[in-house]
Amino acid sequence: MKRTYLELVPGLEVTNSEISDLFGCANQGEMRRSLKTNTLVLISDKTKLYQDREEDSFFYYTGMGKLGAQSLTFQQNKTLAKSNENNVSIHLFVAYKKRIYTYRGQYELINEPFQEHQLDEEKNNRLVWVFPLRKRLNDTDKSSYTYSQSQKVGNHDSWDLHHNVAVKTADQSTFEYGETVIPKRIRPFFKSTNLKEGEEKEITLIYQEYMFFAKIKVQASGSPRHRLRWEKRFTLLINEYANRVQGEVKIYFIYDDEKTYKVSLSHTDIMDTVHTDVIAEELEQYGARTEGRITSYYGKKYERDPINRELAIQIHGVTCAACNFNFEQKYGERGRDFIEIHHIKPLSSLGGSTEINPKEDLVPLCANCHRMVHRQKDHVLTMEELKEILQKEN
Ligand SMILES: [Zn+2]
Ligand SMILES: [Zn+2]
């Protein structure tokens, strides 16, 4: 099975040829674009020319061009400069020693590139372009194609806009003053774009079975700001929620009609879990495997192969091997002959061969058990572990 860059974790050391295999990119150059995986691999080689530097989660990356002044429209300098528009995902490697590349994770351009003086290959002073990058908050977020829809595109306020949902990261003004500024790009969502200075619009926020009154008000002074202000009870509720959970609190505004918004509260820990679950599911599909490390993922490809599935059902039947759930017993006609097939052998132990012994290697599992088995990408449960859990919990 083909390896993909999804299996990389920050800190992992790889060789040059592994980089080009994993990303489908060229095997030379410091900035490598892959159209195949829509990625841009950046290599910061400490043993070479450029003076890249790092501060906390920020990385100041010097563009390409070894001689004379660098150009922002030259090859991958352009790709990186436009990376917030072209949705290419940026992956950084640092080489501290020759030919060993340490993966640092996925980065994003957080500000306009700027120019500074550095020496070129012939020791002449020249202008280079420096790209301010920041490590993406969630290290495990590697599948940019899944998340590109919701990526922040070059804005740094505390709002995120998805289809018909606007998400506000709670801050001091939400917690203490019961209000927040609505930036320009969020105004269409709240249908407040056409409000004039001094005007206001009333809306209703619905949280579970509660209703709260809120107002969008356009301040009459200087540059008109749109403020959303809600009644005190909602502020209390947000504070109460924040005290119970870990991490940043997010307020989801879900559009109902132009005067009504459902709200729900969430926090970063939940989102990390959801994220991790999605990635675990993706890894099942891609069957990522890491040779030479303990971790090995199991391949959904084999589990979905109709012939394997048919053979497994013939041999093992359609009752869950872990919890005895039977779909036909529960769902009648609709559930007849339905079962998922789990492949219990790590792919790495298959070596180069893809031969499967359906009697030994495949087991029938109900959808619930199967999902739990795969839920943690770095720890796929064995049948023994799964049964032990079921015994303990019942
Ligand atoms: Zn089961
Ligand atoms: Zn499975």
Side-chain angles (χ1 to χ4, degrees):
M1 183 158 299
K2 188 129 182 59
R3 300 176 64 188
T4 81
Y5 70 88
L6 291 167
E7 70 186 74
L8 285 172
V9 290
L12 197 66
E13 291 184 342
V14 294
T15 64
N16 189 46
S17 66
E18 281 178 299
I19 293 178
S20 57
D21 282 346
L22 290 166
F23 288 88
C25 63
N27 61 7
Q28 52 187 341
E30 318 266 330
M31 297 172 84
R32 307 173 185 179
R33 172 89 192 256
S34 165
L35 293 172
K36 205 166 106 195
T37 54
N38 197 26
T39 50
L40 178 64
V41 171
L42 302 179
I43 291 171
S44 178
D45 197 335
K46 301 287 187 194
T47 68
K48 285 191 184 159
L49 181 68
Y50 303 112
Q51 286 150 37
D52 300 334
R53 57 192 180 272
E54 215 167 336
E55 289 159 24
D56 298 322
S57 59
F58 298 93
F59 199 96
Y60 295 91
Y61 188 82
T62 312
M64 60 194 289
K66 291 192 165 94
L67 217 52
Q70 288 185 347
S71 156
L72 201 53
T73 54
F74 180 57
Q75 295 181 357
Q76 306 321 333
N77 290 345
K78 188 176 174 184
T79 309
L80 184 52
K82 301 246 181 254
S83 57
N84 285 322
E85 290 156 47
N86 57 24
N87 267 332
V88 70
S89 69
I90 301 164
H91 298 263
L92 179 69
F93 290 85
V94 180
Y96 299 97
K97 295 173 278 191
K98 278 206 183 312
R99 285 188 285 277
I100 296 176
Y101 303 89
T102 306
Y103 183 61
R104 297 299 298 276
Q106 199 179 336
Y107 279 69
E108 60 190 332
L109 183 69
I110 47 137
N111 227 324
E112 296 295 315
F114 58 88
Q115 286 182 293
E116 69 175 34
H117 288 276
Q118 285 186 20
L119 294 182
D120 72 7
E121 230 181 8
E122 296 179 350
K123 308 276 183 238
N124 294 317
N125 202 358
R126 50 85 180 251
L127 278 173
V128 297
W129 282 99
V130 177
F131 298 85
L133 307 176
R134 185 176 57 192
K135 196 170 163 77
R136 293 200 47 158
L137 285 180
N138 196 337
D139 271 344
T140 50
D141 179 4
K142 296 189 186 105
S143 40
S144 56
Y145 42 88
T146 308
Y147 297 106
S148 58
Q149 301 305 104
S150 56
Q151 265 175 22
K152 290 194 177 188
V153 182
N155 61 73
H156 310 111
D157 58 48
S158 55
W159 287 87
D160 264 320
L161 189 60
H162 309 255
H163 189 50
N164 58 347
V165 182
V167 184
K168 158 80 186 170
T169 303
D171 50 23
Q172 196 186 10
S173 68
T174 7
F175 287 127
E176 288 180 20
Y177 309 117
E179 62 169 41
T180 179
V181 170
I182 303 175
K184 249 199 187 111
R185 66 193 176 86
I186 306 295
R187 290 176 197 170
F189 173 81
F190 283 106
K191 311 284 180 217
S192 74
T193 314
N194 295 326
L195 290 182
K196 302 202 169 47
E197 284 184 31
E199 286 184 347
E200 58 182 45
K201 173 191 164 180
E202 291 186 347
I203 61 172
T204 307
L205 304 178
I206 298 173
Y207 178 80
Q208 294 172 356
E209 68 270 35
Y210 307 107
M211 258 177 64
F212 302 101
F213 296 107
K215 263 181 199 169
I216 296 164
K217 197 167 178 176
V218 183
Q219 275 175 325
S221 61
S223 64
R225 292 184 125 189
H226 290 216
R227 269 178 207 282
L228 171 63
R229 177 168 246 169
W230 48 77
E231 57 175 306
K232 187 110 193 261
R233 289 185 307 133
F234 188 53
T235 309
L236 293 174
L237 190 139
I238 299 170
N239 277 286
E240 194 268 334
Y241 180 84
N243 290 335
R244 276 187 288 123
V245 300
Q246 299 277 308
E248 273 180 337
V249 170
K250 308 246 179 193
I251 308 168
Y252 285 63
F253 293 90
I254 302 140
Y255 183 84
D256 206 0
D257 62 48
E258 61 181 86
K259 300 210 152 204
T260 319
Y261 293 82
K262 292 207 175 73
V263 286
S264 86
L265 300 174
S266 180
H267 57 98
T268 33
D269 278 15
I270 294 186
M271 288 178 290
D272 282 352
T273 308
V274 171
H275 230 89
T276 312
D277 281 347
V278 170
I279 286 159
E281 284 169 34
E282 277 177 359
L283 281 170
E284 262 180 270
Q285 316 238 3
Y286 286 96
R289 106 183 117 130
T290 33
E291 276 159 326
R293 288 163 70 217
I294 310 154
T295 313
S296 49
Y297 308 121
Y298 296 45
K300 198 92 182 179
K301 189 181 152 199
Y302 299 105
E303 298 179 344
R304 287 200 174 142
D305 181 311
I307 295 173
N308 286 337
R309 192 177 279 225
E310 191 194 317
L311 288 171
I313 288 173
Q314 295 302 333
I315 296 168
H316 302 287
V318 290
T319 297
C320 177
C323 75
N324 292 321
F325 186 90
N326 181 289
F327 282 87
E328 191 177 0
Q329 271 169 26
K330 184 80 179 177
Y331 298 99
E333 180 64 30
R334 185 91 192 185
R336 184 187 297 164
D337 291 337
F338 181 81
I339 194 70
E340 295 193 8
I341 296 301
H342 173 60
H343 181 239
I344 55 174
K345 236 183 194 173
L347 284 180
S348 52
S349 71
L350 288 173
S353 130
T354 52
E355 278 295 307
I356 284 202
N357 176 344
K359 189 163 187 291
E360 309 274 296
D361 302 342
L362 301 175
V363 290
L365 286 181
C366 74
N368 284 343
C369 287
H370 198 193
R371 187 117 310 281
M372 288 303 106
V373 162
H374 284 284
R375 192 175 183 206
Q376 259 177 282
K377 65 181 162 133
D378 52 357
H379 180 195
V380 176
L381 294 176
T382 64
M383 283 308 100
E384 289 68 34
E385 287 170 320
L386 176 61
K387 284 178 186 163
E388 208 175 294
I389 291 171
L390 286 168
Q391 243 159 26
K392 234 191 274 167
E393 298 304 318
N394 289 322

